[in-house]
Structures are given as structure tokens and as C-alpha cells.
Amino acid sequence: MAATIEKVLVIGMGKVGSLVGTLLHETGFQVTGMDAAEPQGLAFSVIKGDVKNPESLGASLKEVDAVVSCLPYDLNINVAHAAHAAGIHYFDLTEDVPTTKAILELSETSKGLMAPQCGLAPGFIGIVGSHLTKAFTKIRAINLRVGALPQNPTGLLGYAFNWSPAGVVNEYLNDCEVIKDGKIMAVPAMEDNETIFINGLHLEAFTTSGGLGTMCETYEGKVDELNYKTMRYPGHCDLMRFFFQELHMKNDREASGQILVNAKPPVNDDVVYVHAAVEGWKDDELCRDEFVEAYYPIEVGDKVWRAISWTTAASVCAVVEMVKNGTLPSQGFLKQEDIPFDKFLETQNGALYTV
């Protein structure tokens, strides 16, 4: 079984990865970053590395107790295999379903904990949703919604690509796993559009893939309805359908990402909306409980970080803390819905969600 976590390698020093390293460093872990480049100005050391080189990656993992992959989803499996071979703990932020299923298979023989999907969605939203179910004697529906948006949108699209364009395109095009009428099924992305109001703000929500993580397997036969949707400003979904379907950009995902980022580059003033709702019975009374929050940029380490960056990074860092302190298991596969929300908020990084 893998040792307790003291030394952590964080791979991918982008906006989220550099913040993951910063938060873990400030929490007391011995952090090393890895990237194809060597960014300056971080409070921890960064080494140059290539995750596509198994020998180099394996050598780096021998020196640590855990690895956190903050790479694009298609590179995570390389890191997961290397972590499995090294017998150390593995964490990532992926929303990609095939990647997660491959990691689940690895976990059957892992010496450490295999914990994918530890970001915002999947990740934090699943922890919240599962927490809400605990108050019910019988559950009818679990509806989870997340929107990472510019505070001051411009143009018809009303969006800014503050997150990985490859990840967004993946979520918009891949089929979505849901529970409907008590059974798991796949439904198309960018469908089932609905209206949501948060503090009077009009938003739309539509299906996107990957946000539920492993929740469908966990709740199959226990609920009539379970789904995840992305929230956007009204009109966004129709425009994205036009872009991907009528212009046939679905056939070139890489070019799609480049075009969209060129049109709507990142902005610093963003906001993350989280809306989780559970309907069911508390004894004989039909009830609906909700968790609704808006998260804005915060300062960490004398730098202001975007809301999407810190809500993603703080989630995985809180999970690393919980594995270290024994709140979570140290071997096998971790489902986000098995993470106790109250204990999550008690960690140094989880407490950021209460500020």
C-alpha cells in the first residue's frame, strides 16, 4: 500500500496546475511541478518533463508519494499507468469517460489510490449532490448544474474560453450518461435545454458529457432521474449547435477549439455558478433541497486567480488533504460521491468554498 502523502508531483503548469501546486505548497506538502516548459515565479520547483516518455515519467514518480495530473484529458492515461507502476497515489481533473473507465480498471490492482475526476464538474458538484441526498428517505431526482462564465459577457455567444478548449469541445460533442426512468442511458449533448434563474439572473442549461463522473453507476435503481447540465447565458446553446452541426465543425475538434478561443479568449473577471437540487421524500413529505452558490476570483499567494481556476484546483487539493489525514481510503478507486462534504469543507483548501 502506498505511503502517506508528503511529496507531490503536479504535472501541467497551466492556470489550474500552477495553482494546484501553489495551494498544496501552502498546505504544507513538498511540491514539485512538471511541464514541457519551466515557468518562473512559482513558490515550488518545476522540472522539465515529457509525459509521453515512459522512462522519464516513471523516474520522476519514484521520488514522490502522489501525482496530480492537470493535463488535457487525452494525456492523463499515460500518467495513470505510470503512477500505477510506481505504486503511488494518482489524482486528476478529467471529465473524459473512457479515460476514467481505464483508470477504474487500473485501480483493481493499484497499491495507491486512483482518484480521477477531482475537479469542479465532475468533482465538487458530485460531492455536493451526494450530500444533499443524505436528508431523504427516498429520492426522485438529482439535478446538477455548473456554469463557468464571464461576469460581463459580450456578443451573442456570451462566453469566454477560460477552460481547456479541447475539454469544452469534448463535453459539447460526446454523448451524456444520465439516469432516466431509473435506468442508465446515453443522451446527446447540447439537448434538453431548460431555464434557470440564480439570484434573478436568467441562464439556460443543457446536457454536456462527463459532469456526473461515476454517479450513474452509484445511483442506478435508486433514483428516477439523474442528470448534469452546463449553464450558459441564453442563446449560447443554439449558436454552438449551429457551429458544430450546420457548419460541420464537429468533424474537426482541434480546429473547433482554435476558432472558438480566437473568437472568445479568456477573461479575468469570471464567475462560477453551482446549482445542485435533489427532490424526494423525507418520510411522507415530498421536498426539494438546493445548493446554489456563485464563486468569484480570489487572491492566493499574492495573486488573483480566476474563479474557474480556484474552484477546480481547490477541489483536488482538498481531496489530497483528505487522503493524507485518513478521511479517505489510501487504495483502490475513489468515487467523488463517496467524499463526505462536511469533512471536505474542514480541509484548508475545501474551506475556500465557504468564504
Side-chain angles (χ1 to χ4, degrees), residues 97 101 173-192 207-210 212 216-217 220 226-228:
V97 175
K101 290 183 176 178
L173 293 181
N174 290 353
D175 284 346
C176 314
E177 201 172 55
V178 303
I179 292 178
K180 189 174 182 180
D181 298 327
K183 297 180 180 179
I184 297 177
M185 61 179 61
V187 299
M190 295 192 294
E191 298 290 344
D192 198 17
T207 53
T208 52
S209 72
L212 290 177
C216 284
E217 289 80 5
E220 184 178 22
L226 167 63
N227 55 53
Y228 171 83

Side-chain angles (χ1 to χ4, degrees), residues 168-232:
V168 173
V169 171
N170 198 42
E171 293 172 1
Y172 279 20
L173 293 181
N174 290 353
D175 284 346
C176 314
E177 201 172 55
V178 303
I179 292 178
K180 189 174 182 180
D181 298 327
K183 297 180 180 179
I184 297 177
M185 61 179 61
V187 299
M190 295 192 294
E191 298 290 344
D192 198 17
N193 199 305
E194 68 183 22
T195 296
I196 286 183
F197 290 91
I198 296 181
N199 296 327
L201 177 67
H202 182 192
L203 299 171
E204 67 178 14
F206 51 89
T207 53
T208 52
S209 72
L212 290 177
T214 56
M215 291 185 74
C216 284
E217 289 80 5
T218 298
Y219 287 98
E220 184 178 22
K222 300 176 182 178
V223 298
D224 293 334
E225 176 183 299
L226 167 63
N227 55 53
Y228 171 83
K229 296 181 181 181
T230 289
M231 293 186 288
R232 297 286 186 256

